């Protein structure tokens, strides 16, 4: 049973602390989830019908949009956890009554909309930052506490805490840790949160969502959760490894954590959140869920849960973690313009490992990959049959290292190239086979800078690549002429590339369906390319060598790639990929449609 709190702010604080400590341990009972279509609380099973949000700039999409950061409320809807959102939050709002944007006025607007709270709806209150302010509340939050309690009472009367509904009151992170907030406000933050715990403990359908404990874990060990800076503001890094966008507001990474905590209370944390008392016991459950990986606060933490060694299959687009394509692959694809052909996607294995602590966001990874690709070309007429096979076997060493927000990667690759050709002419009753070999060395360095802009992950990059190509001397036979020995010099080239990769957040389409878009645009230029000298010596003519010199044209290639992925079920995804070279769209455009079935 959640106890009834006293009326004063101090009494509420003491009550929450006592009841939190006195809560019993043991197993958590199962509590029916009114937001679940199947009765369970798995992430894909929970769908809030309408979420009403009352709050300040932390919840106001107009404010978060104005500074270019995500918004936890819109993110919950984008992920499909919430079907519809009515957001009444306004930047600068307080729980204290009287101002146009205050809590009581937000409730007035909500009630005036004539949209009654129904079963399956969720109401969220996330206020208190502006009541504490940068230096603390002059009246020790008495007016704010009264306004908050009055607002909650009105929402309860409107049905927000009826059965099959929930009212979330959100406990603040340690506001005093903000770069623009006085350290002396810490005590008021704790008192405010204890008041909210008391309100929650008075009604089984009011839940205190504990942001304080979740963010304390981040402040205590930033690197574990992918942060390098949790004390000063840096707008450009707040979507990557910095917590604060400005003096008082989180950036994308902080909003992401808020989203995950709310989502956790609706899903995996549902049973205990609706059973234990708000306060110390609930904080203990939050810590327990973070420790065992049930609540993951960020992608960096998810990476830390993976084993140190990873064995990755290559060649499947949905799982591909590594790929290599020679920047000038046409040098060793002389059969690209024949009429018919089949080619296999590169396939192989990559083994990589983490170097350093799994909890260190600056740890590097290195690994080795081996893969193989076959490419066949055929030309057939009634009298003439030719086939040509191109096979490449590659070994690559690669290394990735985060450096001050940048991601540096180096890749050293060696490709063994094998060419075989068969020809047959039935009229002259002759069949022949030619085989020759070559190899390519490639060393590429790439620098990426991951950023976040609204609902997009944007990664500009630049690269510098050195390649060296060789074809072994080979004796070539033809159907109608004398055999000729061909040889050539080693060809070296330097290439540079710049580009940008963009990926949008998934868009929830209802149920388990999600749609995600991505794209890339990059330009490759050759800085230098050796000329190719080909030597030819006809059999039967010793000492007579003919040489031809072929200057290689400068490479200027701009490529565009677009992709859409539609997930229609847990194990079924459709993808559409379009690619083209902008200098020759007509002859280089391709569209690939794939269905991915996981089993």
């Amino acid at each position: 049973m959640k106890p009834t709190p006293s009326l004063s702010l101090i009494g509420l604080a003491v009550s929450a602390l006592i009841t939190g400590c006195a809560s019993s341990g043991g197993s958590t009972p199962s509590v029916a989830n009114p937001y679940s279509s199947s009765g369970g609380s798995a992430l894909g099973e929970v769908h809030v019908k309408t979420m009403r949000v009352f709050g300040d700039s932390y919840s106001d999409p107009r404010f978060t949009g104005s500074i270019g950061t995500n918004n936890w409320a819109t993110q919950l809807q984008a992920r499909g956890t919430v079907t519809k959102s009515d957001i009444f939050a306004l930047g600068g709002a307080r729980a204290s009554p009287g101002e146009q944007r205050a809590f009581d006025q937000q409730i007035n607007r909500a009630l005036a909309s004539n949209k009654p709270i129904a079963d399956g709806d969720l109401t969220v209150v996330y206020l208190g930052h502006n009541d504490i302010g940068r230096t603390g509340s002059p009246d020790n939050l008495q007016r704010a506490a009264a306004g908050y309690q009055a607002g909650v009472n009105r929402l309860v009367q409107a049905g927000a805490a009826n059965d099959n509904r929930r009212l979330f009151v959100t406990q603040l992170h340690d506001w005093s840790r903000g770069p623009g907030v006085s350290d002396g406000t810490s005590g008021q933050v704790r008192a405010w949160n204890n008041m909210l715990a008391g309100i929650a403990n008075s009604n089984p359908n009011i839940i205190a969502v504990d942001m304080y404990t979740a963010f304390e874990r981040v402040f205590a060990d930033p690197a574990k959760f992918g942060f390098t800076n949790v004390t000063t503001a840096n707008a450009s890094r707040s979507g990557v490894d910095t917590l604060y966008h400005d003096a008082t507001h989180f950036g994308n990474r902080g909003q992401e954590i808020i989203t995950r905590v709310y989502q956790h209370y609706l899903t995996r944390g549902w049973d205990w959140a609706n059973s234990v008392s708000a306060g110390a016991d609930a904080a203990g459950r939050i810590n327990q869920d973070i420790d065992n990986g049930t609540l993951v606060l960020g992608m960096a933490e998810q990476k830390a849960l993976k084993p140190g060694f990873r064995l990755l299959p290559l060649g499947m687009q949905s799982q591909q973690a590594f790929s290599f394509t020679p920047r000038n692959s046409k040098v060793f694809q002389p059969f690209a313009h024949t009429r018919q052909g089949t080619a296999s996607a590169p396939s192989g294995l990559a083994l990589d490992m983490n170097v350093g602590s799994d909890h260190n966001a600056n740890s590097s990874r290195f690994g080795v990959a081996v893969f193989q690709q076959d490419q066949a070309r055929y030309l057939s007429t009634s009298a003439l049959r030719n086939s040509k096979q191109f096979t490449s076997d590659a070994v690559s060493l690669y290394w990735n290292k985060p450096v001050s927000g940048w991601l540096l990667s180096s890749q050293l690759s060696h490709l063994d190239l094998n060419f075989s050709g068969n020809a047959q002419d039935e009229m002259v009753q002759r069949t022949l086979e030619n085989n020759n070999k070559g190899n390519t060395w490639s060393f590429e360095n790439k620098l990426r800078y991951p950023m976040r802009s609204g609902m997009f992950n944007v990664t500009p990059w630049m690269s510098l690549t050195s390649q060296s190509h060789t074809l072994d001397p080979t004796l070539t036979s033809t159907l109608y002429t004398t055999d000729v020995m061909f040889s050539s010099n080693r060809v070296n080239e330097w290439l540079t590339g710049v580009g940008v990769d963009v990926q949008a957040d998934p868009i929830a389409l209802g149920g388990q369906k999600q749609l995600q878009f991505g794209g890339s645009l990059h330009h490759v230029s050759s800085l230098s390319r050796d000329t190719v000298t080909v030597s030819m010596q006809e059999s039967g003519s010793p000492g007579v060598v003919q040489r031809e010199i072929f200057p290689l044209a400068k490479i200027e290639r701009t490529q565009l790639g677009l992709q859409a992925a539609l997930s229609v079920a847990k194990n079924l995804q459709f993808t559409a990929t379009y690619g083209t070279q902008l200098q020759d769209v007509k002859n280089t455009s391709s569209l690939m449609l794939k269905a991915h079935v996981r089993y």
Side-chain angles (χ1 to χ4, degrees):
M1 292 289 294
K2 292 182 178 180
T4 302
S6 60
L7 296 179
S8 69
L9 178 59
I10 296 176
L12 288 170
V14 173
S15 172
L17 288 173
I18 293 176
T19 56
C21 294
S23 298
S24 61
S27 61
T28 302
S30 178
V31 180
N33 192 329
Y35 307 116
S36 174
S37 56
S38 61
S41 294
L43 185 59
E45 298 173 339
V46 172
H47 305 285
V48 173
K49 290 182 179 179
T50 299
M51 178 178 69
R52 293 168 178 81
V53 180
F54 302 91
D56 52 30
S57 54
Y58 269 67
S59 306
D60 181 0
R62 288 159 294 191
F63 177 83
T64 54
S66 71
I67 63 173
T69 64
N70 289 335
N71 179 280
W72 66 264
T74 57
Q75 285 295 297
L76 282 178
Q77 184 171 347
R79 296 177 185 186
T81 307
V82 170
T83 304
K84 182 178 182 293
S85 295
D86 286 337
I87 302 176
F88 301 96
L90 292 171
R94 293 180 171 87
S96 301
E99 295 182 353
Q100 186 63 31
R101 51 193 172 184
F103 187 22
D104 61 334
Q105 298 301 314
Q106 294 181 25
I107 296 175
N108 289 343
R109 286 189 286 274
L111 297 179
S113 66
N114 294 320
K115 297 177 181 178
I117 301 174
D119 287 352
D121 288 357
L122 172 68
T123 303
V124 179
V125 183
Y126 193 178
L127 282 162
H129 303 103
N130 296 306
D131 294 284
I132 298 172
R134 293 184 179 231
T135 59
S137 168
D139 68 350
N140 202 29
L141 294 170
Q142 291 184 16
R143 191 164 180 266
Y148 195 101
Q149 181 71 69
V152 168
N153 290 342
R154 292 179 66 190
L155 292 173
V156 171
Q157 291 171 4
N162 288 4
D163 290 340
N164 298 320
R165 310 168 193 178
R166 290 296 185 272
L167 170 57
F168 281 2
V169 293
T170 310
Q171 296 172 303
L172 308 182
H173 70 279
D174 190 350
W175 175 248
S176 70
R177 291 183 180 268
V181 181
S182 169
D183 294 343
T185 60
S186 178
Q188 289 192 356
V189 174
R190 291 193 297 271
W192 182 262
N193 287 342
N194 290 333
M195 179 200 69
L196 267 57
I199 292 175
N201 288 336
S202 69
N203 188 314
N205 292 333
I206 300 180
I207 308 299
V209 177
D210 188 358
M211 295 294 172
Y212 186 92
T213 299
F215 278 97
E216 282 302 287
R217 294 295 298 269
V218 175
F219 288 123
D221 191 357
K224 179 178 180 180
F225 303 98
F227 289 96
T228 60
N229 180 5
V230 295
T231 57
T232 61
N234 187 334
S236 66
R237 303 298 304 167
S238 63
V240 183
D241 55 14
T242 298
L243 181 59
Y244 286 97
H245 179 276
D246 58 31
T248 56
H249 296 96
F250 293 151
N252 285 330
R253 290 291 312 279
Q255 284 280 342
E256 170 69 15
I257 292 175
I258 294 172
T259 305
R260 288 173 179 255
V261 172
Y262 278 123
Q263 205 164 37
H264 187 70
Y265 271 79
L266 289 167
T267 55
R268 292 178 173 179
W270 176 264
D271 286 342
W272 66 255
N274 285 267
S275 303
V276 305
S277 296
D281 194 31
R285 298 305 295 265
I286 283 279
N287 280 319
Q288 178 181 320
D289 287 356
I290 294 174
D291 289 335
N292 64 27
T294 305
L295 171 57
V296 179
L297 298 182
M299 294 303 296
E301 189 184 4
Q302 285 182 317
K303 292 177 183 178
L305 298 175
K306 296 179 180 179
F309 286 90
R310 297 187 299 177
L311 188 63
L312 308 172
L314 305 180
M316 296 178 62
Q317 185 176 358
S318 61
Q319 298 178 352
Q320 189 168 343
F322 167 84
S323 64
F324 173 77
T325 303
R327 294 292 188 187
N328 186 28
S329 55
K330 288 187 177 181
V331 171
F332 289 109
Q333 295 183 17
F335 318 124
H337 300 291
T338 51
R339 297 182 184 176
Q340 303 176 20
T342 60
S344 68
S347 59
L349 288 174
L351 175 67
D352 76 350
M353 66 173 292
N354 189 64
V355 181
S357 171
D358 284 341
H359 293 161
N360 186 352
N362 292 317
S363 294
S364 59
R365 297 194 72 90
F366 76 89
V368 59
V370 293
F371 58 94
Q372 188 266 345
Q373 182 180 20
D374 293 326
Q375 210 168 349
R377 295 290 184 266
Y378 308 98
L379 176 64
S380 178
T381 66
S382 59
L384 183 67
R385 291 181 174 85
N386 288 341
S387 68
K388 295 179 179 180
Q389 182 82 22
F390 163 64
T391 302
S392 62
D393 299 297
V395 177
S396 184
L397 300 175
Y398 56 94
W399 171 73
N400 295 312
K401 171 69 176 178
V403 180
S404 300
W406 295 82
L407 182 62
L408 174 64
S409 62
S410 296
Q411 183 174 306
L412 176 65
S413 303
H414 180 261
L415 287 80
D416 283 322
L417 311 168
N418 297 282
F419 305 90
S420 64
N422 293 276
Q424 176 182 342
D425 190 338
E426 296 177 353
M427 296 183 64
V428 299
Q429 297 184 349
R430 188 179 182 192
T431 300
L432 56 86
E433 178 180 1
N434 290 308
N435 295 287
N436 59 305
K437 298 181 179 181
N439 66 77
T440 289
W441 283 95
S442 175
F443 183 59
E444 180 185 66
N445 291 287
K446 180 177 285 189
L447 194 60
R448 301 178 180 89
Y449 191 80
M451 298 185 299
R452 182 79 183 181
S453 177
M455 62 178 293
F456 296 97
N457 292 309
V458 182
T459 306
W461 56 265
M462 63 185 74
S463 67
L464 180 65
T465 305
S466 172
Q467 292 188 352
S468 181
H469 313 284
T470 297
L471 280 175
D472 296 345
T474 182
L475 183 64
T476 302
S477 301
T478 69
L479 291 170
Y480 314 113
T481 61
T482 306
D483 295 349
V484 177
M485 174 67 73
F486 287 93
S487 62
S488 68
N489 62 308
R490 175 172 287 275
V491 177
N492 301 305
E493 58 184 348
W494 286 88
L495 306 169
T496 184
V498 293
V500 60
D501 300 326
V502 179
Q503 186 175 50
D505 290 338
I507 302 171
L509 302 179
Q512 297 185 24
K513 299 182 180 66
Q514 284 190 339
L515 180 63
Q516 189 170 24
F517 295 99
S520 66
L521 179 68
H522 67 267
H523 183 80
V524 176
S525 299
S526 55
L527 298 178
S528 69
R529 305 183 75 193
D530 292 348
T531 58
V532 179
T533 301
V534 178
S535 300
M536 298 164 284
Q537 183 175 359
E538 188 174 356
S539 296
S541 302
V544 179
V545 178
Q546 180 179 351
R547 291 182 174 84
E548 295 286 347
I549 298 176
F550 302 93
L552 296 179
K554 180 177 177 61
I555 294 175
E556 293 290 349
R557 185 169 61 243
T558 306
Q559 294 179 299
L560 172 69
L562 301 172
Q563 186 180 59
L566 175 63
S567 298
V568 298
K570 182 178 180 180
N571 298 319
L572 179 61
Q573 183 186 63
F574 297 97
T575 61
T577 304
Y578 170 78
T580 188
Q581 183 174 320
L582 297 184
Q583 287 83 357
D584 188 8
V585 174
K586 181 178 179 180
N587 295 315
T588 61
S589 296
S590 65
L591 178 65
M592 181 179 297
L593 303 176
K594 285 188 177 182
H596 305 268
V597 181
R598 301 178 180 89
Y599 56 90

